[in-house]
Amino acid sequence: MREGAAPGAAIELEMPAPRAGGLGQSPPRADGPAKVSGLAGYPADRIPTDALWAFAVFTDQPHARLRRLDVSAAERAPGVVAVLGSADVPRNEYGLTKFDQPVFIGLDHTGCSPVPCDVSRWEADHLALIIAESLDEARAAAAAIDVEWEPLPVVADLDMALAPDAPLVHPYDGVGSNLYESMRTRKGDLDAGFAAAAAVVETTYEVPYQEHAYLQPEAGTSWVDAEGIVNVEIAGQWVHEDREQIAHALDLPEDRIRVRYPAIGGAFGGREDTSMQIILALAAHRLSERGIDRPVAMQWSREESIVGHHKRHRGRIWARWGADHDGRITAAQAEAWLDAGAYNYTSNKVMGNLHLGLGGPYELPNAAIDTHVVYTNATPGGAFRGFGAPQAAFAVECQVNKLAETLGMDPIDIRRVNTLREGSPSIAHTPMPAGVTMPEVIEACAHAAALLPRPVDDDAVTADADPFSPFVSLPGMPSSLRRGRGFACAFKNVGFSFGFPERCEATIVLHGEPGDDLPASVELSHAGADVGQGAHTAFLQMAAEATGVDPSRIVGRFSDTGTSGDSGSASASRLTWMAGNSILGAAEEAEKAWRDGDRPAIGHFRFTPPPTTELDPETGEGTPNFSYGYVAQHVELTVDIDTGHIRIDRVISANDVGRAINPRFVVGQIEGAVAQAHGHVLSEHLRSRDGRLLNPRFSTYLIPGIGDIPVTTESVVLELADPLGPFGARGMAEMGVIPYAPAVAAALADATGVWMDDFPLTPERVWAALRSAGITA
């Protein structure tokens, strides 16, 4: 925190827009000037100068039982104020959807939790929290901890976890297996469907980890204020859920906890589960009990961040699909396994998305789908942009493209035959929610792709590349470059699924004098998190439209449990959709109060969308979602078959956004999604062995730079109104990452004739696959 500021200084935004309303326009971001000038306060910028520093000691044990722990030497180390552990946590457990993780590994079992805390199941489990005058002193004290471990068998991956007589990662849970949750769908007559098929394709796909790689590593500050409230200022995705997790572990009423978010340097799902929220709050709370009323700060290094938070799930998907001579899919069968890692995090919910996604955006008369989540001692999987849909789409879209190839059909034509339409039955047996636009999205992408014909002579292709390109073409040398095109499409839910009590609250206050026809100014309070996507600016634009007040006279107060009702998470492509509906409701309530003469006129509204249901455990029947987003992508690439290098020359991403609240933000989301998916598919290879990450740094985990991303990305934005969306808007933030991997795989197969059923498509892996298939220049 900059000198002179106080902990908890207000976080407000004023909307700098030139005209009233502004919906469908792209005014400057409300937080843009502060971010461009460097004045924006991120959690690491807002640490008070008098703060104590906390350092979380990781166990560094993928699977081991704690036998002895002595922190007395660490407590005596220079600068150390306190050392906290399992005995200091009233309820030594947490978890976003399942309490299966101890806050600390320790020998003290007084915390009222059924989760045994004496076993480390992950290398980043927390052993202790050292609080000192400086971060360096806290880190140095960690070396003085005297600890003894009994090594346990490491369940490193899916194969080991599913093997007969595999050691159990969570033997106390009563399941009796590392496979701890499953989902099942049965629809139609699978045998009859395969009997009617003219082509059957069967493949096993492997999908890899992905690190979120957000700009800002974890950091935060906690303090106890004069009213005895424990304050936590940190980056996250859902302030009210963070508060709930903290209150549970500390065994405090929720009104004794206040969570707020300053500027957030990216999230992508990586901040949906707690990282240091609980231990920061615990530190401030325990120190205050000892009469030490100083703020406590934490900040992770990049390596600590990569090791210490969850990833996109790695997993395995077996699929067998059949289609008749006309390309109509007659049968679809799949079984999938997600590696949940050491703890559940949101794995059981990601499994649900994966499960629905394994039916693809297609009408399937006959289907059998099984999905599972499996505990291992590896890094936990959790929320990541797409939330299970990218893994499903890789298998499904590759299957559809392979069926098209086997039948001699155009890959777009086979989708025209099978795509979901308005009123189509979903894979969950029930009709799709109104507003299905998959056919229109496919056609828009196909039309854009047809505008630039394929080169007739692939041998004439040269590497007319910029200086960053790996391609080299010398005069007189035969070209080893091949060109290819690929197509894929996908859909994904907007909002939470499977009966979760979805909701979003907003408060609008209209200010003015008695007799005024229009308010002089407006306050908007909303807890929704802006993780860099521009959500708060979009909120202010929607508030301006809803109230008719010029945006320049609207002030927003955001992401603070002390000022706003529950917004739900910045996830599931839901935030604009849900927030817009809550803002519309709050504006209506405020206008009623205004007409009644109230000054100020206050409107509070809690929006709840149509209910969803869990799926029937035997058939998979249900109403899992109330809205979906739709996307199709076309990819053109060049591959050097001598080296395995791939250059993505052109990407067309067609998205139906319902209504573009801020068109510039929409295009930014699409381009950002493509770049993020590009890294996942081509370069980001996070390696794990025996439960340990081998390359937790950006020198060896390669995210794409400016010279690595696609040469061109073209955003085709459709505005086909969602019947339930605010102003017709439809969630779209995740859609662009979902079909990219299968589109790239299809383009590579088009160029070389070789299908790669796993990724990342690094040069050495592509080169090996081509050589194995006998492909040479």
Side-chain angles (χ1 to χ4, degrees):
M1 183 176 291
R2 290 170 179 80
E3 191 171 357
I11 302 167
E12 297 184 2
L13 293 176
E14 295 185 1
M15 179 66 171
R19 58 182 295 274
L23 211 65
Q25 304 297 312
S26 298
R29 286 182 58 138
D31 56 356
K35 287 185 173 179
V36 170
S37 65
L39 296 176
Y42 294 85
D45 300 321
R46 294 173 59 84
I47 294 171
T49 55
D50 65 338
L52 295 168
W53 283 87
F55 174 68
V57 182
F58 293 170
T59 62
D60 194 33
Q61 299 291 323
H63 204 196
R65 177 169 282 106
L66 182 62
R67 288 304 189 190
R68 183 169 53 83
L69 177 62
D70 185 352
V71 300
S72 58
E75 290 174 323
R76 296 191 300 270
V80 171
V81 175
V83 178
L84 304 179
S86 62
D88 298 291
V89 189
R91 290 178 174 161
N92 192 23
E93 63 178 13
Y94 73 103
L96 191 61
T97 64
K98 184 177 182 179
F99 291 129
D100 66 343
Q101 184 168 4
V103 177
F104 289 109
I105 304 302
L107 295 172
D108 191 290
H109 297 274
T110 57
C112 53
S113 171
V115 182
C117 69
D118 62 337
V119 174
S120 174
R121 300 170 183 85
W122 173 32
E123 63 173 326
D125 269 331
H126 292 168
L127 181 65
L129 187 71
I130 299 177
I131 305 164
E133 293 290 342
S134 72
L135 183 56
D136 286 343
E137 287 173 320
R139 289 181 185 273
I145 292 178
D146 185 11
V147 60
E148 179 183 337
W149 297 96
E150 174 193 346
L152 298 173
V154 175
V155 183
D157 52 34
L158 285 172
D159 290 330
M160 296 182 69
L162 296 172
D165 302 321
L168 298 182
V169 178
H170 289 268
Y172 66 90
D173 64 5
V175 175
S177 169
N178 290 314
L179 190 159
Y180 65 97
E181 285 196 34
S182 298
M183 296 183 74
R184 166 188 170 99
T185 288
R186 296 294 183 270
K187 187 178 181 185
D189 186 333
L190 195 67
D191 291 338
F194 280 118
V200 175
V201 174
E202 182 177 344
T203 313
T204 298
Y205 300 93
E206 300 282 343
V207 290
Y209 283 132
Q210 187 178 17
E211 155 63 24
H212 299 82
Y214 30 65
L215 288 173
Q216 170 210 344
E218 288 78 357
T221 305
S222 183
W223 68 95
V224 179
D225 64 24
E227 287 73 40
I229 295 172
V230 180
N231 288 257
V232 177
E233 189 172 277
I234 198 166
Q237 293 180 233
W238 187 355
V239 286
H240 286 81
E241 178 60 37
D242 285 354
R243 182 179 70 176
E244 182 178 322
Q245 292 276 307
I246 294 166
H248 177 83
L250 272 58
D251 197 21
L252 291 174
E254 288 190 22
D255 61 10
R256 289 279 309 282
I257 309 293
R258 183 176 182 179
V259 178
R260 72 187 78 194
Y261 299 158
I264 299 172
F268 314 115
R271 304 188 199 274
E272 189 162 22
D273 289 282
T274 59
S275 55
M276 55 180 63
Q277 286 91 328
I278 294 172
I279 54 178
L280 258 177
L282 177 72
H285 179 54
R286 290 303 188 207
L287 290 183
S288 179
E289 289 180 328
R290 301 178 190 183
I292 303 173
D293 291 316
R294 291 173 63 183
V296 181
M298 287 189 72
Q299 184 172 357
W300 277 355
S301 67
R302 178 61 67 180
E303 184 171 342
E304 287 166 338
S305 174
I306 293 176
V307 173
H309 78 258
H310 67 267
K311 312 299 172 212
R312 188 186 298 283
H313 289 84
R314 64 180 179 181
R316 179 175 301 143
I317 302 168
W318 169 84
R320 182 173 181 249
W321 284 47
D324 64 19
H325 288 289
D326 296 324
R328 188 164 300 280
I329 298 166
T330 59
Q333 186 176 9
E335 188 164 14
W337 300 263
L338 285 180
D339 184 346
Y343 300 103
N344 179 66
Y345 280 67
T346 54
S347 292
N348 52 353
K349 304 304 180 185
V350 174
M351 174 187 66
N353 249 25
L354 173 72
H355 186 80
L356 292 177
L358 286 172
Y362 306 110
E363 291 190 359
L364 301 180
N366 308 295
I369 300 172
D370 296 275
T371 56
H372 316 282
V373 282
V374 183
Y375 282 131
T376 68
N377 291 122
T379 301
F384 199 135
R385 194 178 195 173
F387 207 75
Q391 295 95 320
F394 183 62
V396 166
E397 294 301 291
C398 284
Q399 288 292 98
V400 172
N401 283 326
K402 290 176 182 180
L403 283 172
E405 180 183 71
T406 303
L407 293 166
M409 289 187 70
D410 183 280
I412 297 174
D413 286 341
I414 196 171
R415 289 173 170 84
R416 288 174 172 139
V417 170
N418 292 286
T419 185
L420 292 166
R421 304 176 187 278
E422 192 74 17
S424 290
S426 70
I427 189 61
H429 303 260
T430 51
M432 290 288 293
V436 178
T437 58
M438 195 76 256
E440 292 87 344
V441 171
I442 290 172
E443 294 303 328
C445 190
H447 176 72
L451 297 180
L452 185 65
R454 173 202 300 274
V456 175
D457 182 6
D458 279 343
D459 290 335
V461 175
T462 58
D464 52 346
D466 56 41
F468 296 102
S469 173
F471 298 102
V472 178
S473 181
L474 299 177
M477 289 185 63
S479 174
S480 60
L481 306 184
R482 302 289 182 268
R483 300 284 302 274
R485 290 179 165 187
F487 191 92
C489 60
F491 75 142
K492 185 192 175 291
N493 59 295
V494 174
F496 298 144
S497 311
F498 305 117
F500 187 91
E502 179 68 288
R503 71 277 187 185
C504 189
E505 298 177 46
T507 301
I508 284 181
V509 181
L510 307 178
H511 292 279
E513 298 297 327
D516 287 353
D517 292 331
L518 293 175
S521 63
V522 175
E523 292 179 46
L524 168 65
S525 295
H526 204 286
D530 190 328
V531 295
Q533 80 277 41
H536 291 166
T537 304
F539 293 176
L540 292 166
Q541 286 183 264
M542 291 188 288
E545 184 78 9
T547 61
V549 173
D550 189 278
S552 63
R553 291 188 280 122
I554 298 179
V555 172
R557 293 182 173 84
F558 300 119
S559 305
D560 185 343
T561 60
T563 62
S564 306
D566 192 352
S567 65
S569 178
S571 62
S573 297
R574 66 180 290 281
L575 194 54
T576 298
W577 198 97
M578 293 291 296
N581 278 313
S582 69
I583 289 168
L584 281 170
E588 183 176 348
E589 294 300 313
E591 287 165 5
K592 291 177 185 176
W594 181 270
R595 290 193 298 270
D596 289 340
D598 292 354
R599 302 292 187 273
I602 301 172
H604 180 82
F605 187 75
R606 180 184 177 101
F607 172 72
T608 56
T612 60
T613 67
E614 294 183 0
L615 301 186
D616 183 276
E618 294 300 319
T619 66
E621 183 175 356
T623 305
N625 294 298
F626 49 76
S627 180
Y628 289 90
Y630 302 93
V631 58
Q633 288 180 343
H634 167 89
V635 168
E636 299 175 11
L637 62 73
T638 302
V639 57
D640 186 334
I641 61 175
D642 272 352
T643 66
H645 279 89
I646 291 173
R647 180 182 67 192
I648 304 298
D649 301 305
R650 186 186 189 211
V651 178
I652 300 168
S653 187
N655 294 66
D656 177 18
V657 305
R659 174 78 183 276
I661 302 300
N662 185 307
R664 185 181 294 136
F665 291 176
V666 165
V667 172
Q669 287 280 33
I670 294 171
E671 292 179 351
V674 167
Q676 192 166 50
H678 180 88
H680 190 211
V681 176
L682 291 179
S683 66
E684 298 179 28
H685 190 193
L686 189 63
R687 294 176 289 115
S688 175
R689 182 186 303 141
D690 296 329
R692 298 181 186 275
L693 292 181
L694 302 181
N695 56 326
R697 51 192 67 87
F698 287 161
S699 59
T700 48
Y701 179 81
L702 303 180
I703 61 175
I706 190 63
D708 306 310
I709 60 175
V711 177
T712 62
T713 298
E714 301 167 34
S715 301
V716 179
V717 178
L718 285 75
E719 295 187 79
L720 307 174
D722 185 322
L724 299 177
F727 315 103
R730 178 191 304 274
M732 52 75 59
E734 298 172 278
M735 309 310 161
V737 304
I738 299 172
Y740 189 77
V744 172
L748 180 62
D750 183 46
T752 65
V754 175
W755 286 96
M756 291 192 67
D757 301 324
D758 60 359
F759 60 96
L761 303 178
T762 57
E764 64 272 22
R765 301 180 85 220
V766 172
W767 181 89
L770 295 178
R771 290 301 178 272
S772 178
I775 305 296
T776 58

